[in-house]
Structure formats: structure tokens, C-alpha cells
Amino acid sequence: MDLHTRKLRYFLTVADKLNFSRAAEHLKIAQQALSKQIAELEELVGVPLLRRTTRSVELTPAGRIFLESARTALEALEAGAAAAEREGRGVTGTLHVGFVPGAALELTGAILEEFRGQHPNIALDLREFALEDPSAGLAEGWADVAFIRPPVTLSQLDFEPLFTEPVVAALAKTHRLAGRTSVRVGELLDEPIAVARSTDPAYRAQWSLTAFRGGGTARIIDTSSQTEEIGMVAMGLACSVTPAAVVRFLPHAGVSYVPVEDLPGSTLGIGRRRDRPNRLSDHFVAAARIVREKERAVIEAIEHPFACQKPIDG
């Protein structure tokens, strides 16, 4: 049976209105044309679907049965067309999002909310990675996108920056530099330095200050997490160099945080691999850009956290 969707829609409208005149007005066609379409539909089905008198229109028993099937068929067709359109535009499926501890700080929730609001049919699979993998799943191929802090050892990396925050030295309260308003890198080079254990050479070099050592070797104390790193600092076993967000997210009674004045800031953003293109990741980055523009005040606070120049006690 070769049924056109137009005939089915016309039939559903008449069945809803139970009046040819009102149905034709709703469909914006002539009543005569509507009557012709319904008659052709009944001929195709092989039985009367509507009982018409000069005063009323009602469904026949066969018409009531056909009505349910017609409605189901059209709803399924519309759902299928919508799903196909979303797939074609890359707005359905599952997006794997990796993140290191802290993710995008105060922007995390806003970015996820913006993305889910725009693309409710995309499922998000979120996974936190320890600092042993600063690529947050990109290197191993699990993550489609990830909140990361370069540098990471990954050649095929696209990176969308969100903000750049200052770097601080974490020092025991009893350390000789703990009372300073700022320190310079050169003042830290003779100190044992706590660095989260990682196989990524770029990460290790960044946070052990390799570029400033002139070929010298750092005295590194390996740790398994930033929490352990700060604990080592509090016990006076090492210092640590870390993004300023640690002041808000990992306060410690035994630690002072002092800005490092001659170190570049730490940039956090969204990374993805150029050799693994993913349309869904484009939408995620677009949502993050919207949030970045909306939340300028939040970003300003992240990027300039020190309202007064004094050491910050945890």
C-alpha cells in the first residue's frame, strides 16, 4: 500500500476536529481538496474510515483502528527523521570528557550546563584522571576532549585556552621564604621539590623547573597526588610549584602559598587530538567558548586571585 504522509496527516486532522470545514481551515487547504484526499485514502485502505452526515463527522470502527496506526506511523517517522538530522549534524551520541583534578575550576559546572542545554541528546561520559596522566585520557585515546594544563607530551594536540592563572610556591609555614609577598624561581632551585609522579616528560619538566636549572638536576620527591604533594610540603620535606587554584581548593593549616613572580602563568583549557576528529567535540568547545564570554567576572577572579600582596596561608 503506497500511502503518502500528507494523506495520513489530513486524516489525523479530520479525526481530531471531526469537522471537515475546521480541519480544512487548520490545514489551510480547500475543503473540497481535503474531502478528495480522504476519499482517496479510504480507497487505498479499502474500507470507510469516516461516517459523514450533513451535521456531523465520526470515525467508523475501522477508522478508530486505523487512527492509532496512522498516528504511531507518523510519530515514528518524525522521530526517525529528527534522529537522522541530529546524527548528520553530529549532535547525538556519547562524548568522552577527561579531566585532571580541579577540571576547569569554577567554570566546570557552567560549561557542562551550557553543553547539556544545547545538546540534550548527547550523553557525557566524564572521567577524572590522576596527574600521572596530565593529558586526561587524550594520550591513551579514551577522551574525545579533556580539561588539561599544557604542556603535555602529545604532538597532535588542538588546545582551546579558557584562562591563565598565576603560579605559587607552596612552602611549609616554618620555611625561610614563607613570610614573603613573592619569590623568584632562583630562590627555589636548591630546594627539594615535590612533583606528582608522571611518565610525561613535559609535565615533569614544567613543575620541577627544569628550564631554569641550566642542566642541573632537581631533587624531586615523587608523590601520587596533589594532596600528598601538599602534605609533603606541610611536613617541611619539600616545596612545590603549583597553579594558584590550590589556594582555594587545597588549603592546609601548615602551608603558605607565595606567588612566584617570574614564572609564566598556568593556562587551563580544552584539549583534543587532531588525529582523532570528532564532531561532538566541536560542539563542546563551542559551548565552552560561550561560557568563557559570559563568565568574564569569574575568569577575572581566577586570573587575578591576589587582591593584596602577602603570603596566603592555607
Side-chain angles (χ1 to χ4, degrees), residues 149-152 167 193 195 200-212 241-243 263-267:
R149 292 179 181 273
V152 297
V167 171
I193 189 163
V195 180
D200 189 314
Y203 174 86
R204 296 279 285 183
Q206 172 85 353
W207 299 110
S208 60
L209 306 176
T210 297
F212 299 88
V241 177
T242 185
L263 263 184
S266 174
T267 300

Side-chain angles (χ1 to χ4, degrees), residues 154-212:
L154 193 62
S155 60
Q156 296 288 320
L157 178 66
D158 274 332
F159 183 70
E160 181 73 24
L162 295 176
F163 53 79
T164 300
E165 60 180 321
V167 171
V168 299
L171 304 165
K173 285 282 184 66
T174 56
H175 194 281
R176 60 187 175 82
L177 300 174
R180 301 272 294 275
T181 57
S182 68
V183 296
R184 298 182 65 83
V185 174
E187 298 175 282
L188 303 172
L189 296 180
D190 291 333
E191 302 287 336
I193 189 163
V195 180
R197 190 176 293 105
S198 174
T199 58
D200 189 314
Y203 174 86
R204 296 279 285 183
Q206 172 85 353
W207 299 110
S208 60
L209 306 176
T210 297
F212 299 88

Side-chain angles (χ1 to χ4, degrees), residues 49-254:
L49 302 174
L50 296 165
R51 185 177 295 113
R52 286 154 282 190
T53 70
T54 56
R55 294 186 177 181
S56 66
V57 177
E58 61 182 18
L59 289 162
T60 65
R64 286 193 292 271
I65 293 173
F66 185 75
L67 174 64
E68 295 307 314
S69 296
R71 181 176 287 118
T72 300
L74 281 177
E75 288 174 353
L77 183 62
E78 289 171 353
E85 180 188 16
R86 289 193 299 269
E87 175 64 26
R89 290 169 43 221
V91 289
T92 188
T94 299
L95 184 69
H96 298 89
V97 182
F99 58 96
V100 292
L105 307 182
E106 288 86 353
L107 293 186
T108 307
I111 291 171
L112 296 180
E113 183 179 357
E114 178 72 28
F115 180 79
R116 286 172 171 145
Q118 290 186 14
H119 305 290
N121 296 299
I122 299 178
L124 290 178
D125 187 359
L126 307 173
R127 183 187 298 180
E128 182 177 13
F129 287 79
L131 291 177
E132 283 86 344
D133 179 13
S135 78
L138 291 174
E140 70 178 53
W142 179 86
D144 300 312
V145 293
F147 293 111
I148 60 173
R149 292 179 181 273
V152 297
T153 306
L154 193 62
S155 60
Q156 296 288 320
L157 178 66
D158 274 332
F159 183 70
E160 181 73 24
L162 295 176
F163 53 79
T164 300
E165 60 180 321
V167 171
V168 299
L171 304 165
K173 285 282 184 66
T174 56
H175 194 281
R176 60 187 175 82
L177 300 174
R180 301 272 294 275
T181 57
S182 68
V183 296
R184 298 182 65 83
V185 174
E187 298 175 282
L188 303 172
L189 296 180
D190 291 333
E191 302 287 336
I193 189 163
V195 180
R197 190 176 293 105
S198 174
T199 58
D200 189 314
Y203 174 86
R204 296 279 285 183
Q206 172 85 353
W207 299 110
S208 60
L209 306 176
T210 297
F212 299 88
R213 296 184 183 276
T217 303
R219 288 187 290 158
I220 294 177
I221 297 178
D222 287 318
T223 59
S224 59
S225 68
Q226 196 166 41
T227 301
E228 183 182 357
E229 185 177 304
I230 297 304
M232 291 288 185
V233 170
M235 290 186 287
L237 300 177
C239 70
S240 173
V241 177
T242 185
V246 71
V247 178
R248 304 190 300 283
F249 292 96
L250 273 179
H252 194 292

